[in-house]
Structure formats: C-alpha cells, structure tokens
Amino acid sequence: MEEVETTLVINPLEDISKLKALASEPRIHMLNLLRDKTLNINEISDALSLPQSTVATHISILEDAGLIFTESVKAKKGNQKLCRPSFRELLVQFPEKKNETQDFVEVEMPIGIFTDCQVTAPCGLCSAEHIIGYLDFPDSFLNPERMKAGLLWCGSGSFEYKFPNNSLATAQKKISRIEISMELSSETPGTNINWPSDITMWVNKTEIGTWVSPGDFGDKRGKYTPTWWKLEGSQYGLLKHWTVTDEGSFIDGVKISGVTLDDLRISEHHSIRVRIGVKEDAEHMGGMNIFGKGFGNYDQGIILRIYF
C-alpha cells in the first residue's frame, strides 16, 4: 500500500462524493489524526473516544471517496485494518470560469488518431461498439479502426498527438496560453479507486509536468460508457486541464512546473505535439486510461485551445 504525497484538487461541481465525505466533523478529525501516521480502527477509536463500530463506518465512507487507503493485516487475534491518508493536502477549487469573449482557436482530436504510441500490457483499445484488435497485444494499436477508439489503456508507455499549429494563421496575435483537456484515470486489472499513477505530459518534446491520478474508477458506470462494457472495467476518469502560460505550467490552476510558453517554441513549428504517458521509472507506475467520445463522463476527445 502506497502513500501519495501530493495535493488532491476537488472540483465541487463533479466530486460530490468527496465533499459529502468531508462534510462530517468526526471524519475531519480522523483525517487530521491520520495526517502523519498509520493507525488501526482501535487506535482511532481510542484517540477520538468513539465506538469502534462508528469509526469503522466513517472509515468506510472515507475509503469509498478515495480520501484514505486501508490495508488488512494480521494481528495477534485475527486481522486489523490499517488506515492512512491518500493525499497530503486537499484543495476544494471551482474550475476556472471560461471567458467566452476571449480570443482563441480550438481543435478536438479523437483519442485514436495518435501519431505514435509505445505501450506495455495490460493494454487495449475499443470503440463505442466493440474491442479493437486483441487485448494485451500492443500491435492492435496499429489497427486502422483505432480512429474510432473511445477508450485507450496501458500499463506504461505513451501516446503522441500532432495538432495543427493554428496560431501561425494569426501571426499578428500574441499567444497568452495554451490549454489541453482530456479525461484520464489510472489503469489496473479490474478497477481500484486507490491506485495512484504518475501521468506525465510533454508538449513539443518538452516535459511540462506530472499529475498523480488517484485511481482507476469503477464504482459506477460512466455517463457515456456503453452498456456492453463490463462494470469490472474502467468506467470513467477525471477531466484534467493542462495549461502553459508565460508564468509556468498548471493542472486545474495548480502550478506543476516552471515550463513556460517560450520553452515550447510554438512559433517555430507547423504542428503542436502533445504526448501523454506513464514513465517506466515513475514513482507510481499505475497505468493510464484515456477516455474519448462514447466513454467516460465527458463526451470529448483531446481538446487543444490556443488563447491570444
């Protein structure tokens, strides 16, 4: 069981289950108690002067919301459940409000139209109708039907997409930022809400930063996930917005690196190359799912916006 020393950004418009889990004084005290230690149910019960049955109920709610990890280990008599936090910090943040009067150009790329892929099993891809090629067979990603893909997954590796550099058509305008949005999650056989994975993005071969996905979500069917897709499989992800400005690189408004627009040299290229993947030496190598049209909770591909 691993501890994720990172910040969880909670979108109150989407992560209702997490907000409900936090809306309890006893559960807040438990999270505070677990900040720097691992405790079992009995120890939490003693520390907070609460019945063990009450503590067990609250711990189950926190675990279901992905806010803590638990592990069953042998004790002197039977088993005991050890508890520790999933995240070092919790930040509740509304998504950035889009100013529709802003000047921008947008391209939406279907997730199957990648120009390069290097993946390891478990891996696969499927359209809204059926699995494409063979499961856990990387050569299936060469199948022409990949253009219809609504879900891609891999244990490690990456996918690269080549977007047209539409800023060259408006050369008289200065780019203020670029934004890339996509729906992502970790990947494990079956699903596991507590399965962290370091997912990294590169733009024009420059690494802009890493997001730690908390898990592979399968607690309920994704809003657009087809009914033929088994509930035992990945159902949905989290919609992440990666932004690069003159001040640095950000995920959902939280700064992740000092890479700026100048580092990407956008005006020197006729395309903008976006690579997303899990490094072979990642601290949390928990795989990756990319959700596109017809899967997950957001009916979109990978969207690139250039703002002026």
Side-chain angles (χ1 to χ4, degrees):
M1 183 172 57
E2 299 188 59
E3 182 178 357
V4 182
E5 294 191 355
T6 187
T7 299
L8 172 64
V9 179
I10 299 175
N11 180 347
L13 301 180
E14 300 173 3
D15 301 326
I16 300 299
S17 64
K18 289 181 174 59
L19 287 182
K20 288 181 178 179
L22 292 171
S24 162
E25 186 174 352
R27 292 196 285 275
I28 292 296
H29 287 311
M30 290 177 193
L31 289 174
N32 182 53
L33 187 65
L34 293 169
R35 276 193 304 170
D36 55 358
K37 57 176 69 78
T38 298
L39 300 173
N40 61 33
I41 298 293
N42 292 343
E43 291 169 331
I44 298 172
S45 174
D46 292 342
L48 299 180
S49 299
L50 291 172
Q52 292 182 17
S53 59
T54 300
V55 171
T57 298
H58 285 303
I59 288 296
S60 178
I61 293 172
L62 291 171
E63 184 179 15
D64 289 344
L67 298 177
I68 65 168
F69 291 129
T70 67
E71 181 183 20
S72 182
V73 299
K74 289 185 178 181
K76 290 182 179 180
K77 296 182 179 180
N79 293 329
Q80 63 175 335
K81 178 178 280 191
L82 299 181
C83 310
R84 68 175 69 178
S86 302
F87 298 91
R88 183 162 49 88
E89 295 179 310
L90 300 174
L91 175 63
V92 179
Q93 182 180 67
F94 284 97
E96 182 179 353
K97 189 173 182 179
K98 305 299 181 187
N99 184 351
E100 298 303 330
T101 64
Q102 289 189 25
D103 188 6
F104 67 87
V105 290
E106 176 181 297
V107 176
E108 181 174 359
M109 184 73 67
I111 66 170
I113 306 185
F114 44 82
T115 53
D116 181 57
C117 78
Q118 300 171 13
V119 299
T120 63
C123 62
L125 67 166
C126 59
S127 67
E129 290 77 34
H130 55 79
I131 291 173
I132 297 172
Y134 302 96
L135 296 178
D136 301 332
F137 186 59
D139 285 353
S140 291
F141 289 88
L142 300 175
N143 191 312
E145 277 198 83
R146 67 185 176 87
M147 298 177 65
K148 301 177 183 178
L151 176 62
L152 309 174
W153 67 93
C154 64
S156 68
S158 63
F159 298 91
E160 183 172 88
Y161 300 85
K162 188 176 289 187
F163 289 81
N165 186 358
N166 291 326
S167 69
L168 297 179
T170 55
Q172 74 279 10
K173 298 180 180 180
K174 183 180 184 301
I175 298 175
S176 62
R177 74 177 191 269
I178 65 168
E179 179 184 279
I180 302 153
S181 66
M182 64 182 76
E183 186 175 354
L184 297 165
S185 79
S186 309
E187 161 57 23
T188 183
T191 63
N192 187 340
I193 196 171
N194 296 319
W195 190 260
S197 186
D198 296 345
I199 299 178
T200 301
M201 179 176 285
W202 296 260
V203 178
N204 287 348
K205 297 185 177 182
T206 298
E207 181 177 331
I208 65 171
T210 297
W211 169 63
V212 182
S213 170
D216 184 355
F217 306 106
D219 56 310
K220 58 184 177 181
R221 187 172 297 281
K223 182 177 180 181
Y224 296 99
T225 301
T227 55
W228 67 265
W229 183 250
K230 293 182 179 180
L231 282 172
E232 292 79 9
S234 307
Q235 293 296 316
Y236 63 92
L238 300 177
L239 185 64
K240 309 309 294 181
H241 294 81
W242 309 66
T243 306
V244 183
T245 71
D246 290 330
E247 286 72 45
S249 298
F250 305 79
I251 296 179
D252 297 335
V254 178
K255 192 169 184 177
I256 54 172
S257 78
V259 175
T260 66
L261 286 170
D262 285 343
D263 296 320
L264 304 184
R265 302 181 179 276
I266 292 175
S267 62
E268 299 178 13
H269 304 279
H270 288 282
S271 63
I272 298 175
R273 298 169 66 175
V274 175
R275 182 176 289 273
I276 188 78
V278 178
K279 299 178 182 177
E280 291 185 357
D281 61 350
E283 180 180 356
H284 305 105
M285 198 169 71
M288 176 178 67
N289 280 283
I290 304 178
F291 297 84
K293 289 274 191 179
F295 270 86
N297 284 343
Y298 303 89
D299 197 28
Q300 68 163 69
I302 300 172
I303 295 178
L304 170 68
R305 276 186 172 185
I306 304 174
Y307 288 84
F308 303 98

